[in-house]
Amino acid sequence: MKIASVFALSFVGFCGFASFASAEEAHTMIAPDDVKWGPAPKVLPAGAEAAVLFGDPTKEGLFALRLKAPAGYAVAPHTHPADEVVTVISGTTHLGMGETADRSAAKAMPAGSFFALSPDTAHFVYFDEETVLQVTTNGPWGLKYVNPADDPQKTQ
């Protein structure tokens, strides 16, 4: 099963297709108190929450989602199939580049920080405090772990 297909199935499980904001709508406006959080896709470690703000991560096209990571949360080295544009909304993201999770080489990215990663760029993230990220990219979204044993779907 392709990574995007696995991701699509996990997104269906957490919020269903009906709750995605349609990319075909004339506009989308969501106030912070109106963000609808649910469990993050199963391709991510348990404990995070996600909210799709615009588009559909399981389909071709632009989408935006927010990820809320609790303190102590980490995502092992991985890549994505498309450019990924990330803004740190609150908290601090520790972003490290490469195929090993060397925390001493990670850069602290506090609220207001921005980063953009090219397709297939190996990176990892961890969070010492609750942090909210906004990810904008083109679907279908996927995540491929450098070490397949890090994929939380393998242990479920």
Side-chain angles (χ1 to χ4, degrees):
M1 185 178 292
K2 287 184 165 181
I3 296 295
S5 298
V6 170
F7 183 76
L9 290 174
S10 62
F11 249 116
V12 168
F14 105 80
C15 63
F17 289 112
S19 65
F20 292 120
S22 171
E24 290 80 35
E25 293 177 13
H27 63 278
T28 299
M29 298 187 302
I30 302 172
D33 290 342
D34 295 333
V35 173
K36 303 221 182 313
W37 296 99
K42 294 179 192 282
V43 72
L44 293 170
E49 294 179 80
V52 176
L53 304 175
F54 177 83
D56 183 339
T58 69
K59 296 181 179 173
E60 210 167 293
L62 183 66
F63 72 90
L65 71 84
R66 290 209 179 148
L67 179 69
K68 186 187 302 182
Y73 192 77
V75 182
H78 62 279
T79 63
H80 301 284
D83 289 305
E84 192 164 73
V85 176
V86 180
T87 302
V88 182
I89 303 293
S90 65
T92 301
T93 299
H94 297 271
L95 172 66
M97 305 308 294
E99 295 188 353
T100 57
D102 177 3
R103 288 188 175 203
S104 68
K107 180 171 176 65
M109 306 291 288
S113 296
F114 169 90
F115 56 93
L117 300 171
S118 299
D120 302 317
T121 300
H123 62 286
F124 64 94
V125 292
Y126 70 93
F127 309 89
D128 292 333
E129 61 183 316
E130 182 178 272
T131 301
V132 176
L133 305 175
Q134 184 161 311
V135 178
T136 305
T137 186
N138 284 297
W141 190 72
L143 189 150
K144 180 180 176 187
Y145 287 92
V146 171
N147 179 354
D150 289 332
D151 186 338
Q153 298 172 112
K154 304 280 186 211
T155 59
Q156 296 177 9

